[in-house]
Amino acid sequence: MADLKLDQIHKSYGAVDVLHGIDLDVKDGEFVVFVGPSGCGKSTLLRIIAGLEDITSGDLMIDGDLVNTKSPRDRGIAMVFQSYALYPHMTVYKNMAFGLKLDKQDKAAIDARVREAARILQLDQLLDRRPSELSGGQRQRVAIGRAIVRQPKVFLFDEPLSNLDAALRVQTRLEIAKLHQELKSTIVYVTHDQVEAMTLADKIVVMNGGNVEQVGSPMQLYHHPQTRFVAGFIGSPAMNFTKVSIDKVEPGKVTVSIPGGTPSVLPFDVDQNELGNQVELGIRPEHLSLGDGGELTVHGEVDVVEKLGDSTYLYLKLANGDRVTVRAPGHSRVKIGETVTASVSAGAAHLFSGGGKAFAKVDCPAEYSADE
Amino acid sequence: MSNGTSVKGGGTFRFGLLLLAFPLMLWLFLLVVLPHIDLFLVSMRERISYGKYEFSLINYIEFFSEPLYWNTYVRTAVMSIFATFLTLVIGFPVSYYIAKFMRGKGKNVLFLMCLIPFWVSELVRTFGWMILLRESGVVSNFLQWSGIADGPVEMLYNDATIMVGLVYTSMLFMIVPLVSVLDSLDDSLIEAGYDLGGNGFTVTRDIVIPHAMPGIASGCIVVFMLTLGNYLTPNLLGGKDSLWFTEQIYTQFITRFNWESGSAFGFLLLVLSSLIVWVGLKLSKQTLSETVG
């Protein structure tokens, strides 16, 4: 167990830069999730930490040691691969013992550690089987077990759930969360699935195009996204965005006009220079409610209705052509073609500049804040 | 009712399969099974006088009582095993490089470069080596021109040259199965090996080689059989000293016109190659079906 420090990590393949200076601090025992769309560099960053890719420039420290040029074996890490990477010619037991055998541990110690890990992961009955005789979920557990027995300083998970079906994914997600509580070890986990990130992480690192967009706790990212990208990436269904123009700027207050809606006063600190500019308003579907009870209202025609039982998603088309998703109660009887009004309290709104940066919210209401 | 239909369907299927397999069966029977039965029968008889034969083991007894014969036999086996081993040792890194380090176009180009020499007949290729290595050849001339050697250097007609020729001739048959088996090795298995604390040596020993074993076995079987049954290369590059068993068989059939003895030798070669392949499979814990499939 150890902390991890990344200082200006750059990576390029020939002329192509894939990581543009990543800074990150991971504390001992923290569960960190790298999340982002495919091609954002999250897997490359994980492979750099694992020592499977060279660092072009920058420093990587594990437990206070500079490990830039150290081979994977000397870094004290253990990785769980997306494909599990189990050895088909070895039994489950041998797969799990392989790392320890390479480490020249004595037989009794190897046996004790393999059996202990097998007990934690409920693999006791499967030790003599080959990977080909196991189900996807069992293989996944063997792959995790192979990492656990090595008692690494840092665990690395590369999209470990992506090969499992939906039901098993939820179950294994819970098991990984429990495992982290039990082992209390530092974990770096890569996924493209924001639900996995939200449910597992102590700290989420949202990446985009080789840069870190934002680092924070799941609730910080949900309530206080610093960029439009983070706002759109975290949360499901995704945040609604629509272009609005700034009509009036006062200290701690800004008046915007929504196309097809009434001008609204929102609690944001906006520079006077922004007056008259087009900015983007973001509202989460789950914060909108039908009717005009809130300070900020939108009108639109419903063109798709998705009934999920506990809730109903209404897809509204606004006057300016933008689409807005509203999460209505499950018993909602709204039909396609109806024109509805939805509203939200001003404190739930997000406002992003033309460059995609969030404006600072003033006096955020407790229900829309990550502060506890 | 449905039972009857399925039986009928099965019958049609079986007949179709038989029809499709017929040319192959005919081929195997006429060109492999039949000649070998005849070879065996011929080897078990002794010529008494013109057109008169008797059952006898004299041809086999002759083989074991004449040291030149079984010396050649053993030498051919040992040299073939060594040539196979050498081909494997040289071919493995090459295949690994093609399969694991090259991507896309470069991979195809490299693979093609291994194949190109085989567009030329084996005879021409072997003559190529002779042009290079003979006393008045390219290498000899170069050595004299550069002052390294005082006089002409003869590099043909020794075991090392035979070995070079054999390895060169059979390299492709080692590389093709190795590349295909190494291609199927997921990169993450190798990476996991390093991640689990392996180094280049342990990863190769514990992960790459076990995975590549079927390819290694099939490559070795093909190369070994080709080498053992090779006539041209040992004969041209090794000359009179090559002492290759196929040359003995040739001599019996063509020079001595002793078909009985030639047949016995041919049969002994078949037994030898089958035996060594069997032992090889046992030692490497592979099965023939695994290797072929």
Side-chain angles (χ1 to χ4, degrees), chain A residues 162-332:
Chain A
S162 56
N163 288 338
L164 301 177
D165 63 53
L168 207 53
R169 205 175 300 159
V170 174
Q171 191 193 329
T172 312
R173 200 173 74 201
L174 286 172
E175 280 172 18
I176 291 176
K178 261 192 284 180
L179 199 69
H180 178 237
Q181 285 168 11
E182 204 167 322
L183 298 172
K184 300 196 173 19
S185 45
T186 312
I187 295 182
V188 180
Y189 185 108
V190 163
T191 181
H192 61 267
D193 180 0
Q194 57 99 12
V195 178
E196 267 172 47
M198 293 294 282
T199 50
L200 288 170
D202 294 323
K203 188 194 252 175
I204 296 180
V205 179
V206 182
M207 293 185 66
N208 183 30
N211 288 308
V212 171
E213 286 276 338
Q214 189 174 349
V215 179
S217 74
M219 283 303 117
Q220 278 168 350
L221 295 189
Y222 179 79
H223 286 302
H224 311 292
Q226 284 164 5
T227 64
R228 186 194 179 282
F229 178 83
V230 175
F233 196 81
I234 300 291
S236 172
M239 186 185 277
N240 299 301
F241 294 101
T242 186
K243 285 236 177 344
V244 296
S245 56
I246 294 185
D247 292 346
K248 196 170 164 194
V249 176
E250 290 166 277
K253 264 193 254 174
V254 60
T255 310
V256 299
S257 59
I258 302 158
T262 45
S264 308
V265 181
L266 303 176
F268 286 95
D269 243 343
V270 176
D271 198 274
Q272 280 290 344
N273 298 336
E274 295 280 354
L275 193 65
N277 281 357
Q278 287 273 312
V279 294
E280 266 190 298
L281 174 70
I283 306 167
R284 294 203 180 276
E286 54 271 35
H287 293 158
L288 279 163
S289 50
L290 293 177
D292 52 7
E295 291 112 25
L296 208 160
T297 54
V298 291
H299 310 282
E301 192 188 313
V302 176
D303 60 1
V304 179
V305 175
E306 285 180 345
K307 288 189 182 291
L308 298 175
D310 65 327
S311 57
T312 301
Y313 293 138
L314 308 175
Y315 293 84
L316 271 54
K317 202 169 166 186
L318 301 189
N320 67 347
D322 281 344
R323 274 163 203 280
V324 166
T325 313
V326 178
R327 196 178 78 175
H331 55 75
S332 168

Side-chain angles (χ1 to χ4, degrees), chain B residues 184-205:
Chain B
S184 71
L185 175 63
D186 191 348
D187 285 349
S188 69
L189 290 178
I190 300 171
E191 285 172 351
Y194 286 107
D195 181 73
L196 289 167
N199 51 34
F201 171 72
T202 49
V203 168
T204 307
R205 185 193 62 191

Side-chain angles (χ1 to χ4, degrees), chain A residues 89-196:
Chain A
H89 61 280
M90 297 182 193
T91 60
V92 168
Y93 184 93
K94 281 191 177 157
N95 261 291
M96 287 168 68
F98 185 63
L100 301 175
K101 220 181 88 197
L102 288 176
D103 205 25
K104 304 223 162 42
Q105 306 246 0
D106 70 274
K107 272 220 163 98
I110 293 177
D111 192 66
R113 267 154 82 170
V114 170
R115 292 195 187 279
E116 169 65 10
R119 188 191 57 76
I120 295 173
L121 295 162
Q122 292 147 31
L123 290 168
D124 320 56
Q125 308 300 315
L126 306 172
L127 286 175
D128 294 326
R129 301 231 189 131
R130 301 236 169 177
S132 57
E133 297 164 317
L134 302 179
S135 69
Q138 290 168 335
R139 280 181 213 179
Q140 171 68 71
R141 295 214 296 275
V142 177
I144 294 173
R146 195 170 66 177
I148 289 177
V149 294
R150 302 188 57 222
Q151 302 173 344
K153 292 176 187 164
V154 181
F155 282 98
L156 307 175
F157 286 83
D158 187 9
E159 307 223 8
L161 306 185
S162 56
N163 288 338
L164 301 177
D165 63 53
L168 207 53
R169 205 175 300 159
V170 174
Q171 191 193 329
T172 312
R173 200 173 74 201
L174 286 172
E175 280 172 18
I176 291 176
K178 261 192 284 180
L179 199 69
H180 178 237
Q181 285 168 11
E182 204 167 322
L183 298 172
K184 300 196 173 19
S185 45
T186 312
I187 295 182
V188 180
Y189 185 108
V190 163
T191 181
H192 61 267
D193 180 0
Q194 57 99 12
V195 178
E196 267 172 47

Side-chain angles (χ1 to χ4, degrees), chain B residues 131-149:
Chain B
I131 288 168
L132 286 177
L133 298 178
R134 68 181 179 201
E135 228 176 334
S136 55
V138 176
V139 176
S140 173
N141 279 336
F142 174 78
L143 290 178
Q144 289 174 69
W145 170 83
S146 62
I148 295 170

